[in-house]
């Protein structure tokens, strides 16, 4: 069991960014929500509450090791997958923002869920 620090970024169609994390994600027993970064958004919020009405088109979520998967959850249903990467030496952490499977218009309550395989 390890604790990973999840961070990330989502890019909206208007060019604005939604910074994610840092959130401590512990072991692989359950996926956990990654909220907006309070250093930029004043308080940690779900992405749907922070940027309601914006369309996300790109992004990523990363952890130092064992990044599993990430997705946008809406009312208990996976709306889209979000690319994940590793921040280890020689890992995929420098890839930058990657396109989503499909652009998504954010609604209040939408959450970014992240799972590690630690």
């Amino acid at each position: 069991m390890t604790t990973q620090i999840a961070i990330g970024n989502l890019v909206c169609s208007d060019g604005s960014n939604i910074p994610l994390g840092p959130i401590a994600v512990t072991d692989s027993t359950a996926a956990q929500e990654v909220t907006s970064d309070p250093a930029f958004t004043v308080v940690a919020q779900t992405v749907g509450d922070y940027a309601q009405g914006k369309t996300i088109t790109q992004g990523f979520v990363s952890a130092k090791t064992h990044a599993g998967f990430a997705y946008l959850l809406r009312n208990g249903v996976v709306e889209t997958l979000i690319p994940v990467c590793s921040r280890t030496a020689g890992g995929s952490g420098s890839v930058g923002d990657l396109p989503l499977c499909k652009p998504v218009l954010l609604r209040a309550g939408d959450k970014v869920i992240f799972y590690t395989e630690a």
Side-chain angles (χ1 to χ4, degrees):
M1 283 204 309
T2 63
T3 299
Q4 301 296 323
I5 304 299
I7 62 170
N9 185 55
L10 298 175
V11 180
C12 300
S13 59
D14 64 1
S16 61
N17 289 278
I18 304 170
L20 302 174
I23 302 292
V25 180
T26 56
D27 69 39
S28 61
T29 58
Q32 292 179 302
E33 180 181 6
V34 180
T35 57
S36 64
D37 186 344
F40 297 96
T41 63
V42 182
V43 296
Q45 305 173 60
T46 65
V47 294
D49 292 342
Y50 174 70
Q52 183 177 358
K54 292 192 175 196
T55 301
I56 55 172
T57 58
Q58 302 176 58
F60 72 94
V61 179
S62 69
K64 188 170 181 181
T65 58
H66 304 290
F69 55 84
Y71 55 89
L72 185 77
L73 186 69
R74 176 179 294 159
N75 296 328
V77 176
V78 174
E79 192 66 23
T80 191
L81 299 176
I82 299 172
V84 297
C85 58
S86 172
R87 295 190 312 267
T88 58
S92 57
S94 62
V95 296
D97 298 315
L98 298 169
L100 301 182
C101 296
K102 70 171 191 174
V104 175
L105 179 68
L106 291 174
R107 296 182 189 163
D110 286 354
K111 299 177 182 182
V112 172
I113 306 296
F114 184 60
Y115 181 87
T116 62
E117 297 174 357

